Amino acid sequence: MNLVIDQGNTFIKIGVFDKGKLIYFNSYQFFDENITQCIENPDKISKVIISSVKSAYPSAAEIHQLLAIKASTPILFLNNNTPVPIKNNYETPKTLGKDRIAALVGASLSNPGFPKLVIDAGTAITIDYLDEHNTFLGGNISPGIQTRFNALHQNTGQLPQLKLNTETSFLGRNTANAIHSGVQNGVIFEIDQYINHFNTLNINTKTILTGGDAYFFAKNLKNPIFVNPNLVLTGLNTILEYNA
């Protein structure tokens, strides 16, 4: 069995894969002793991959101890030099987020022969394009929904701190509703227009959505999409097997 760890900006996601199938998933806010209990049979873990968008990793010894896995279990720390099963044409690979490359690898497994628009909607929204030959051509980054709410509150004198609200009206008739509608509909329009643009370039483009806000977009976007909440974990497991 493979253990996959994705340390994001907000949560740490843990996945256990057996023969390519995700058999366990959980998320945590901190990399601490609470994670120790996440694996029922730690002695069956054969290899580990860890990806972090933060600058510091836990050490291999800390991971072995926290997760109660054997000290001899190999751990792959994903970095920009790790071989991956897609071609990367990004001009600055050292600055490419590990979660982005993992999501692209995960997306490459579905709909072979078709280009993919990969959207990860979390703290940041990343919009990445993988062509039909599994070549990463580039992408864009914008603030996620909660990041936009936070920015309005922190950079103004009186606007309140808000969170996602799926019951808001299209036009706000009070300040809170106006913020909810402005942020949420603005992001929906943004994503829909990206999908329209890439469909214009290639009508066969498949859009794959992942991240914490994926299901919100799935319910509100006009364009057809595929939702895969574990796309990054799947990509990390694929990278781990590719390097085994």
Side-chain angles (χ1 to χ4, degrees), residues 129 193-205 223:
Y129 191 72
Q193 189 56 40
Y194 269 113
I195 298 172
N196 290 338
H197 174 77
F198 283 98
N199 282 338
T200 299
L201 295 179
N202 190 327
I203 192 62
N204 293 316
T205 300
N223 285 283

Side-chain angles (χ1 to χ4, degrees), residues 15-188:
V16 176
F17 286 80
D18 187 16
K19 298 177 181 177
K21 182 179 180 180
L22 181 65
I23 61 172
Y24 174 86
F25 167 79
N26 212 333
S27 63
Y28 301 84
Q29 284 190 301
F30 304 102
F31 206 111
D32 58 20
E33 63 275 4
N34 291 324
I35 297 180
T36 308
Q37 309 301 322
C38 77
I39 306 172
E40 291 185 2
N41 299 299
D43 58 310
K44 293 185 178 180
I45 298 299
S46 59
K47 50 188 177 295
V48 180
I49 184 171
I50 178 169
S51 167
S52 177
V53 299
K54 300 182 180 180
S55 57
Y57 282 106
S59 68
E62 288 174 322
I63 294 171
H64 285 126
Q65 182 177 7
L66 280 172
L67 299 172
I69 58 178
K70 293 181 290 187
S72 59
T73 304
I75 297 176
L76 175 64
F77 293 91
L78 182 64
N79 60 50
N80 63 287
N81 293 316
T82 304
V84 295
I86 63 172
K87 184 177 179 181
N88 186 358
N89 278 355
Y90 208 59
E91 292 180 354
T92 56
K94 290 184 178 180
T95 68
L96 179 62
K98 302 175 187 70
D99 53 341
R100 293 174 68 189
I101 196 69
L104 287 161
V105 171
S108 71
L109 302 177
S110 65
N111 297 292
F114 288 86
K116 289 103 177 174
L117 184 64
V118 183
I119 302 173
D120 192 340
T123 304
I125 297 172
T126 58
I127 298 156
D128 293 317
Y129 191 72
L130 194 69
D131 74 8
E132 62 270 27
H133 305 296
N134 284 337
T135 299
F136 174 43
L137 300 183
N140 295 345
I141 304 173
S142 68
I145 292 176
Q146 190 57 50
T147 303
R148 298 181 195 213
F149 284 134
N150 295 346
L152 283 174
H153 173 66
Q154 294 167 7
N155 294 290
T156 61
Q158 299 185 37
L159 293 182
Q161 177 69 69
L162 298 177
K163 294 183 178 181
L164 186 94
N165 180 358
T166 58
E167 302 300 322
T168 190
S169 59
F170 185 80
L171 287 177
R173 301 189 65 178
N174 58 59
T175 299
N177 286 348
I179 296 172
H180 277 129
S181 185
V183 168
Q184 294 169 192
N185 286 309
V187 179
I188 291 167

